[in-house]
Amino acid sequence: MTIDKNKIQLIEVKNPFEPYARRFDTLDYVPGKSIADLFPSMVMRHDFVFSVNGKIVEEADKALTYPQAGDTVVMCPVVSGGLSLIHISEPTRLLSI
């Protein structure tokens, strides 16, 4: 896979129990766009975790974290539920910027 240093690399992990089953995509880099701006529906749901270049983005920092050109953003559903029920949040269709 060739990495375009003028874009943001996106890795979408669909199931945290199968981290190598993932989808790769690229987003156009737009200066001033935060994680919250790039993925508004995912951020509002609070059931996805994001990382930028391997660093976890805390919930409170999603509107303050601005991926740069060449960065890699990983998004992964959060596992939730009790001992008898585990729920993996289903990602919705990603919007291109």
Side-chain angles (χ1 to χ4, degrees), residues 54-87:
K55 182 177 180 211
I56 298 293
V57 178
E58 298 296 331
E59 193 72 30
D61 294 332
K62 290 178 181 174
L64 304 172
T65 301
Y66 300 90
Q68 301 298 305
D71 283 355
T72 299
V73 174
V74 177
M75 57 185 285
C76 181
V78 174
V79 177
S80 62
L83 294 176
S84 62
L85 174 66
I86 295 178
H87 172 73

Side-chain angles (χ1 to χ4, degrees), residues 25-95:
D25 202 354
T26 58
L27 300 173
D28 290 329
Y29 167 65
V30 180
K33 292 280 188 173
S34 68
I35 291 291
D37 296 326
L38 292 170
F39 309 101
S41 63
M42 302 299 184
V43 169
M44 293 300 293
R45 288 175 46 184
H46 303 286
D47 54 2
F48 279 83
V49 65
F50 292 86
S51 71
V52 177
N53 297 332
K55 182 177 180 211
I56 298 293
V57 178
E58 298 296 331
E59 193 72 30
D61 294 332
K62 290 178 181 174
L64 304 172
T65 301
Y66 300 90
Q68 301 298 305
D71 283 355
T72 299
V73 174
V74 177
M75 57 185 285
C76 181
V78 174
V79 177
S80 62
L83 294 176
S84 62
L85 174 66
I86 295 178
H87 172 73
I88 299 172
S89 302
E90 282 294 320
T92 58
R93 182 168 156 73
L94 297 176
L95 301 175

